[in-house]
Amino acid sequence: MKNILLASTSKLHGTAYLEYLLPELEQLFSGVSELIFIPFARPGGLSHSQYTKIAAKAFKALNIKLKGLHTFNDPIQALQEAQGVFTGGGNTFLLVTQLYKLKLMQALRETVLNGAPYLGSSAGSNICGPTMQTTNDMPIIHPPSFKTLGVVPFNINPHYQDPESNSKHMGETRATRINEFHTINTIPVIGLREGSWIRVKENEIVLKGALTARIFKAGQNAYEIDSGAPLEDLS
Amino acid sequence: MKNILLASTSKLHGTAYLEYLLPELEQLFSGVSELIFIPFARPGGLSHSQYTKIAAKAFKALNIKLKGLHTFNDPIQALQEAQGVFTGGGNTFLLVTQLYKLKLMQALRETVLNGAPYLGSSAGSNICGPTMQTTNDMPIIHPPSFKTLGVVPFNINPHYQDPESNSKHMGETRATRINEFHTINTIPVIGLREGSWIRVKENEIVLKGALTARIFKAGQNAYEIDSGAPLEDLS
């Protein structure tokens, strides 16, 4: 019953918030009049209400009302009764810490598994894998665990970037970092470039958007997959 | 009694491991015949002994023998008796997890505070701040705490990179990430570019190398400081 869209980014360069995804979101949220927005990742330190306002503006075009999860007295109940959920990007450590603090991880997982349409972008996509361990974010707060929703069987690295061939920088490339993850973990990882998204419908998981994505598995060479490729057997 | 050198990187592009620092290391480790090497950050998944071999090779030029901390039956005692210590770069989460697992954080702190010369590069520098929260690394393992040695009064962001003005990438810049850290933390942060290092002698802390460094403080605009600038009043 899953109905999920996981985007690498909420914004493409030079376009408005969620603009490039609107046709997809119309389909994902068809029949939905109100969405729960999870603002806990607070990009750039935005307050929960500031962030909810930005997201709400994008959904006006779809005639969908957004309510921030921080405004509910009983956020667990709010998730249980949600017509749909959108978790915005920002800092994954902050998002995950807040979900654990409010004991929402399990409720959110059940909502998604019960079929409520779910949109994630960046950190909001990252938490749909078994763990948040392939985030690009700084550990600005210490979550009790890195375990996340596990509604897809692989981890996501959003905003994936290829190594720059002429770089003289000695810091690790994104690929090096993901390979380090695989020296002590076996969960497959999808490097999801900006403009790509993952669409989950029931048991089907498909790469969407114009670009290829990069697949990393423990003990194997990374490889590219085309848009349209199935992802359900990645694990 | 502190005698510390914290480098942004172990390698500059096109040079050998630690090569650019050799004149400084000769001074830092003058009179030292044997060093303890802490290989726990395991860059690229190198084994402890592989990594120790690489580091040992660089120290041959200084006639200093390196012994990996992993080879001691009693690593706490090894640190207590160390003539000097070098912690190499790699994954900071792995390094910190291992230090906590073996209960070495306090012993290492005391060794450094008692005046044993200490060299850190990248992750090995990162752990000298109050917390490891401004690392660039992926959270490939869950440490019990992000608290680290606190032998300097600020956090370090190694391999600091300036934002690229023409980038169309929507992922956060390094500066944005550090600013997110400051939305919920007050520890000052030094963005240490490759080729820069911090030299601590007793109570003096100075930026060294040819480049400027970038200082981030909570609630203030970031600013540049010149090589030679004192850092002890940064906190």
Side-chain angles (χ1 to χ4, degrees), chain A residues 44 136 142-143 170 177 180 194, chain B residues 44 136 142-143 177 180 194:
Chain A
N136 308 306
H142 188 258
M170 302 304 290
R177 292 173 203 282
E180 284 185 355
E194 294 182 349
Chain B
N136 309 305
H142 188 258
R177 292 173 204 281
E180 284 186 354
E194 294 182 349

Side-chain angles (χ1 to χ4, degrees), chain B residues 98-208:
Chain B
Q98 191 70 359
L99 288 174
Y100 274 112
K101 198 174 158 190
L102 300 177
K103 303 192 195 306
L104 298 176
M105 200 64 91
Q106 191 54 29
L108 179 55
R109 182 178 150 84
E110 279 163 19
T111 299
V112 175
L113 292 180
N114 288 337
Y118 177 92
L119 168 66
S121 74
S122 194
S125 296
N126 200 292
I127 61 166
C128 285
T131 77
M132 57 160 280
Q133 292 178 285
T134 49
T135 177
N136 309 305
D137 298 332
M138 270 190 183
I140 66 172
I141 193 165
H142 188 258
S145 169
F146 289 154
K147 282 191 192 151
T148 45
L149 300 173
V151 293
V152 293
F154 45 79
N155 271 1
I156 294 165
N157 179 251
H159 303 283
Y160 182 76
Q161 282 188 303
D162 294 292
E164 282 171 52
S165 52
N166 297 321
S167 173
K168 292 183 175 171
H169 187 72
M170 304 303 291
E172 292 90 347
T173 65
R174 194 68 65 84
T176 302
R177 292 173 204 281
I178 298 171
N179 289 332
E180 284 186 354
F181 170 75
H182 277 142
T183 63
I184 54 169
N185 297 279
T186 57
I187 303 164
V189 178
I190 181 165
L192 201 60
R193 296 184 177 89
E194 294 182 349
S196 292
W197 65 93
I198 293 164
R199 190 70 173 87
V200 186
K201 283 186 197 172
E202 309 214 0
N203 293 319
E204 252 182 44
I205 314 180
V206 182
L207 175 66
K208 305 277 269 183

